[in-house]
Amino acid sequence: MAFVRTSKIFLRPHALSQIRSVRFCGTSERKAGVIVGVYSHETENTFTDAAAHINNQSSGNLVRLMQYGDSLKAGKSRVLYGVSEEFPVVAVVGLGEQNLSYDPIEERDESKEAIRTAVAAGYRSLDGLGLKSIQVDPCGDGEAAAEGALLAAFKYQDLKSKKKESPSVTCLSQNDQGWTRGATFAEGQNIARRLMETPANILTPTNFAQEAVNCLEGLGVEVMPRTYEWAKERNMNAFLSVTRGSGEPPVFLELTYRGKRFTDDKPLAIVGKGVTFDTGGISLKPSSNMDKMRADMGGAACTVGSIFIAAALGLPINIKGFIPLCENMPGSIATKPGDVVVASNGKTIQIDNTDAEGRLILADALHYASQHSPRAMINMATLTGAMVVSLGSGATGVFCNSKAVWEAMHKAGTVTGDRVWKMPLWKHYSSQVTDSWLADVNNQGKHKPAGGSCTAASFLKEFVSCDHWMHMDIAGVMENKDEVSYLGKGMSGRPTRTVATFAELYSIRADWLVNVQGCPLMYIHRFLEIVKYVC
């Protein structure tokens, strides 16, 4: 298989004293806009350094114009015109209270989330004004500001003949390293969103593999697409059973990223479910909303996006990605309910529901990934409707056999705002999949549909031989309606940023424990930055 590389507002004194040490980029172009932040207090509001700079440069126009209207609430935006010649269009955004931090009830950094939400609101208020460019106040955290702006800027319009032009987005403050990082995290999630939105007749398994080549090989990631014959030689019969009804050939995609300082180190394995369209097979899904099953490869998309981030940042960790790609169709030779197949680890599987196909393709992928002796293994899959019922879009449900992996992923979610919630992986559920009439395991829990997400995770556990493994059921976070304001409507690309942050934290933790003196200073700082939110 060949692939081409291709309220009244006044300034508090400290704000003015700080702006002298910060250099900002202004613009005289009339087609430019600026987003700046303001903190709210009980009796007053306080400008950020960037807003204070613009107010000072315009002889107090920002304060005067802000007096017209109610106090700006957190997450809201107000567009002001004619502030100054240098800054003709300014969106002032509400950041809420100053000095927010980690909230143990919400389990996230509320300061970062407030910035993402506010900056996204500012971007959207300017987006329809025909501006050529938008400069963004980092609001004290350039990484969160970049994420808010660039995630809000995403539009899937690849297939439209008339495309809406979007303004370029840059940081108002020069040389903000946090902004550069945030832009990389946002780009990785936007890659996953674009893949998830692409119609299934275009993003076939073969074309998904080509997209992975296009996204990753320029960053030095090795992308190796494997054929049907390769999978057959390795007895991946659970994976191949799902592909039988489709005319599209399956592809098993293997991705390899080698961190510069860890050439021979054991990899972090990331496995992503890659069903490019899921009809349910013979156990056919209802027609309502079936079109959204183009995103049933969300786990695969987030795998590509998270490895993109790791490679773009040059994280000091080896990563292996494993993505089984196929369609689940009701063809004339499709797998039938009651069929039994032998997986690559030798276990027999009774397939009583062909719409429980994700766990089948992951079974062989997890066994294959385990053979690479990973230091830890993560898999992502839009696996069960039961997870949608359990958690909705609030968090990704995770099942884990390792305290260390859970703690690292939980910390990552507090930083990104894209949270995870631990679910039970008990023998109570395992017995419901191993008590099978015809085979070693059944792909449907004995007491269906009760505990559907838990029995699905227990099924996967039967094919894992790794002491540090986490299954992430992302079905509930696959699509965003209006729950996460800075994402907008459509496929979400969650939890790409959380998994990439986990990879970063896990690499830092491992290197910290092994060789503190050899750990780059930037990663030590990142480790301390992440840990402070939850320790």
Side-chain angles (χ1 to χ4, degrees):
M1 186 179 295
F3 290 88
V4 181
R5 273 59 180 162
T6 64
S7 85
K8 179 177 179 181
I9 298 174
F10 61 94
L11 292 181
R12 301 173 81 174
H14 77 276
L16 286 173
S17 66
Q18 292 176 355
I19 62 174
R20 295 186 184 91
S21 62
V22 183
R23 184 179 177 187
F24 297 99
C25 308
T27 177
S28 58
E29 187 181 352
R30 293 289 181 177
K31 289 288 185 178
V34 180
I35 300 171
V36 295
V38 59
Y39 298 102
S40 61
H41 302 273
E42 291 183 359
T43 59
E44 62 185 55
N45 288 338
T46 304
F47 285 147
T48 61
D49 292 344
H53 169 77
I54 292 176
N55 184 69
N56 186 53
Q57 184 268 347
S58 64
S59 301
N61 277 346
L62 203 58
V63 168
R64 284 190 286 271
L65 290 171
M66 282 295 291
Q67 291 176 354
Y68 300 99
D70 295 333
S71 178
L72 194 59
K73 296 181 180 180
K76 300 299 181 181
S77 173
R78 183 178 302 165
V79 180
L80 307 177
Y81 298 93
V83 175
S84 69
E85 184 176 349
E86 188 178 6
F87 301 102
V89 184
V90 178
V92 183
V93 298
L95 299 172
E97 295 182 8
Q98 200 168 6
N99 300 321
L100 292 173
S101 60
Y102 173 74
D103 187 327
I105 302 299
E106 289 297 320
E107 299 189 20
R108 67 185 180 188
D109 185 326
E110 292 293 84
S111 176
K112 286 180 174 287
E113 197 69 4
I115 293 170
R116 294 185 192 104
T117 301
V119 170
Y123 176 86
R124 292 200 175 95
S125 68
L126 297 179
D127 186 31
L129 301 181
L131 302 173
K132 297 296 183 182
S133 65
I134 296 175
Q135 293 178 296
V136 181
D137 173 7
C139 301
D141 189 331
E143 183 174 334
E147 290 174 337
L150 296 173
L151 290 172
F154 173 81
K155 301 179 185 69
Y156 182 77
Q157 49 184 358
D158 295 18
L159 306 177
K160 293 190 175 183
S161 55
K162 279 191 174 183
K163 295 178 173 60
K164 179 182 177 182
E165 291 189 15
S166 297
S168 63
V169 181
T170 57
C171 186
L172 187 58
S173 179
Q174 290 181 338
N175 303 319
D176 192 307
Q177 293 184 354
W179 175 275
T180 303
R181 281 178 47 82
T184 302
F185 276 86
E187 186 175 359
Q189 184 164 348
N190 287 341
I191 286 172
R193 294 165 84 183
R194 184 176 65 82
L195 290 170
M196 293 171 72
E197 288 286 11
T198 304
N201 63 319
I202 297 174
L203 197 69
T204 62
T206 300
N207 290 343
F208 185 104
Q210 180 65 64
E211 288 296 319
V213 169
N214 298 343
C215 291
L216 298 176
E217 283 206 336
L219 296 171
V221 178
E222 179 184 349
V223 182
M224 184 64 67
R226 312 290 194 178
T227 63
Y228 171 92
E229 290 75 19
W230 178 91
K232 189 66 177 176
E233 288 175 2
R234 283 153 184 79
N235 296 314
M236 293 185 172
N237 300 309
F239 168 41
L240 296 179
S241 72
V242 178
T243 76
R244 288 171 55 86
S246 174
E248 291 289 342
V251 177
F252 191 98
L253 200 58
E254 190 169 338
L255 313 173
T256 304
Y257 164 70
R258 296 179 178 88
K260 293 181 180 179
R261 300 177 58 248
F262 291 86
T263 305
D264 300 320
D265 198 33
K266 290 183 177 181
L268 166 66
I270 305 178
V271 182
K273 172 188 172 184
V275 178
T276 59
F277 195 79
D278 181 20
T279 66
I282 296 298
S283 306
L284 194 66
K285 292 178 179 288
S287 60
S288 177
N289 292 322
M290 195 194 285
D291 63 295
K292 294 179 181 178
M293 287 299 97
R294 68 186 184 275
D296 205 28
M297 31 57 69
C302 293
T303 298
V304 171
S306 58
I307 293 177
F308 170 89
I309 295 170
L313 294 178
L315 297 186
I317 187 173
N318 288 338
I319 301 177
K320 293 282 290 187
F322 304 94
I323 302 176
L325 294 159
C326 65
E327 293 181 335
N328 185 23
M329 303 290 285
S332 61
I333 60 170
T335 296
K336 304 168 290 295
D339 285 359
V340 175
V341 297
V342 183
S344 55
N345 71 341
K347 290 189 178 184
T348 55
I349 304 172
Q350 181 176 338
I351 305 172
D352 279 356
N353 185 349
T354 64
D355 192 25
E357 87 297 333
R359 65 202 70 181
L360 295 174
I361 71 172
L362 288 174
D364 285 328
L366 288 169
H367 175 63
Y368 181 67
S370 296
Q371 292 176 318
H372 289 76
S373 302
R375 68 159 78 177
M377 184 159 60
I378 307 297
N379 75 261
M380 290 180 279
T382 50
L383 204 65
T384 65
M387 186 54 68
V388 184
V389 176
S390 298
L391 297 178
S393 60
T396 296
V398 302
F399 303 78
C400 194
N401 67 358
S402 166
K403 181 180 179 181
V405 170
W406 157 246
E407 288 178 345
M409 189 68 76
H410 182 249
K411 290 177 182 179
T414 68
V415 176
T416 65
D418 193 357
R419 296 163 290 190
V420 296
W421 186 260
K422 194 172 185 291
M423 304 287 286
L425 191 66
W426 299 334
K427 293 179 181 179
H428 172 87
Y429 299 105
S430 295
S431 62
Q432 296 180 36
V433 296
T434 57
D435 185 5
S436 178
W437 185 258
L438 299 176
D440 297 324
V441 290
N442 194 298
N443 81 324
Q444 187 168 260
K446 182 172 66 172
H447 300 303
K448 60 182 187 297
S453 299
C454 301
T455 54
S458 295
F459 178 93
L460 295 179
K461 187 174 68 171
E462 295 296 314
F463 301 88
V464 172
S465 54
C466 178
D467 293 333
H468 301 282
W469 163 67
M470 175 178 282
H471 159 54
M472 309 182 76
D473 193 330
I474 65 174
V477 301
M478 179 186 83
E479 184 184 14
N480 190 67
K481 298 180 177 66
D482 57 6
E483 302 94 336
V484 182
S485 62
Y486 49 84
L487 292 182
K489 294 183 179 180
M491 300 305 168
S492 71
R494 296 169 64 187
T496 297
R497 290 181 299 114
T498 296
V499 172
T501 302
F502 166 85
E504 182 178 33
L505 178 56
Y506 211 68
S507 68
I508 297 167
R509 171 184 286 182
D511 200 32
W512 177 278
L513 294 175
V514 174
N515 183 13
V516 177
Q517 291 182 343
C519 187
L521 187 61
M522 64 175 289
Y523 289 116
I524 294 176
H525 286 166
R526 182 60 175 168
F527 176 82
L528 296 174
E529 179 187 1
I530 293 173
V531 170
K532 73 179 182 180
Y533 299 125
V534 289
C535 294

